[in-house]
Amino acid sequence: QYWMQENLRTAHFSDGSVIQEMEFNMDWPYTGNRGNRGATGMAAWCYFERSSGYNYPYGKLYNWYAIADPHNVCPAGWHVPSDEDFQILSDDLGGDSISGTHMKPIKIWKEYHAEYADNASGFNALPAGIRYRGGSYDRAGADGADFWTSSSYGRHSAVCRSLYYGGSNFGHSYLDRRSGLSVRCVKN
């Protein structure tokens, strides 16, 4: 596998079409499906806490509808990894219980937990924060890194993979598709 070493920063799909920026908290929840309209929603991105200063080095946060859009949020020749793609990476690094250590750069993560960061893989996981489905933000700075997968879970959720400053685990969870997370791309 060949992985990008940075979080995605694009505001366009690979075909050049625009991904909608959803800056305000009150607008973010309306990107998703409501009621029984099915699994479709509007692709959107945002900066953490509406600050473009987070774009470098942390990248943008995307809802899952940007991930699932057939126009491809990743550059041509790359794709958003499935949960299985992330599992291959994790297994190559020793499994979910320790692989997180090998994905986090020491300088970025909190110094008193440097024992959980050696970046041996070169993945360079960045703690970019998260935007919840209601529009609020959490986990900025050196607290956690959450990445979308292309794998859906149920009707309104999708699988994400997470790293935290105080441990070596690379975990699985399921979030509402309207949530905003980081994206890493893997080569086709």
Side-chain angles (χ1 to χ4, degrees), residues 76-145:
W78 297 78
H79 65 276
V80 175
S82 66
D83 190 37
E84 292 78 20
D85 288 327
F86 271 119
Q87 194 61 53
I88 291 168
L89 174 63
S90 182
D91 289 346
D92 284 348
L93 298 174
D96 289 350
S97 65
I98 63 168
S99 60
T101 295
H102 307 310
M103 300 169 73
K104 297 183 288 189
I106 295 169
K107 290 181 180 180
I108 302 279
W109 296 78
K110 292 182 179 176
E111 289 181 21
Y112 58 90
H113 287 293
E115 70 270 21
Y116 298 119
D118 67 21
N119 204 30
S121 68
F123 186 82
N124 201 37
L126 300 174
I130 185 172
R131 189 174 199 181
Y132 292 114
R133 68 182 183 185
S136 64
Y137 297 94
D138 194 16
R139 295 201 291 267
D143 195 334

Side-chain angles (χ1 to χ4, degrees), residues 102-181:
H102 307 310
M103 300 169 73
K104 297 183 288 189
I106 295 169
K107 290 181 180 180
I108 302 279
W109 296 78
K110 292 182 179 176
E111 289 181 21
Y112 58 90
H113 287 293
E115 70 270 21
Y116 298 119
D118 67 21
N119 204 30
S121 68
F123 186 82
N124 201 37
L126 300 174
I130 185 172
R131 189 174 199 181
Y132 292 114
R133 68 182 183 185
S136 64
Y137 297 94
D138 194 16
R139 295 201 291 267
D143 195 334
D146 302 277
F147 300 97
W148 277 126
T149 75
S150 60
S151 304
S152 65
Y153 182 79
R155 191 174 165 105
H156 301 287
S157 300
V159 180
C160 66
R161 299 299 299 256
S162 303
L163 303 151
Y164 299 99
Y165 71 90
S168 58
N169 190 47
F170 187 39
H172 295 259
S173 59
Y174 312 101
L175 287 176
D176 187 288
R177 294 175 183 184
R178 291 171 289 180
S179 302
L181 303 179

Side-chain angles (χ1 to χ4, degrees), residues 5-107:
Q5 292 182 311
E6 297 179 339
N7 293 344
L8 201 60
R9 292 185 183 90
T10 189
H12 296 86
F13 291 110
S14 64
D15 67 357
S17 57
V18 173
I19 304 169
Q20 181 68 42
E21 179 183 10
M22 284 290 168
E23 182 179 4
F24 299 105
N25 291 358
M26 64 186 169
D27 295 331
W28 189 259
Y30 296 105
T31 64
N33 53 352
R34 293 188 296 263
N36 293 321
R37 288 179 38 200
T40 61
M42 181 177 65
W45 68 268
C46 66
Y47 294 116
F48 184 80
E49 293 186 337
R50 300 174 46 203
S51 174
S52 62
Y54 279 96
N55 202 35
Y56 291 96
Y58 297 107
K60 293 175 173 59
L61 301 177
Y62 300 86
N63 67 9
W64 193 78
Y65 301 109
I67 291 11
D69 194 288
H71 293 102
N72 191 13
V73 70
C74 292
W78 297 78
H79 65 276
V80 175
S82 66
D83 190 37
E84 292 78 20
D85 288 327
F86 271 119
Q87 194 61 53
I88 291 168
L89 174 63
S90 182
D91 289 346
D92 284 348
L93 298 174
D96 289 350
S97 65
I98 63 168
S99 60
T101 295
H102 307 310
M103 300 169 73
K104 297 183 288 189
I106 295 169
K107 290 181 180 180

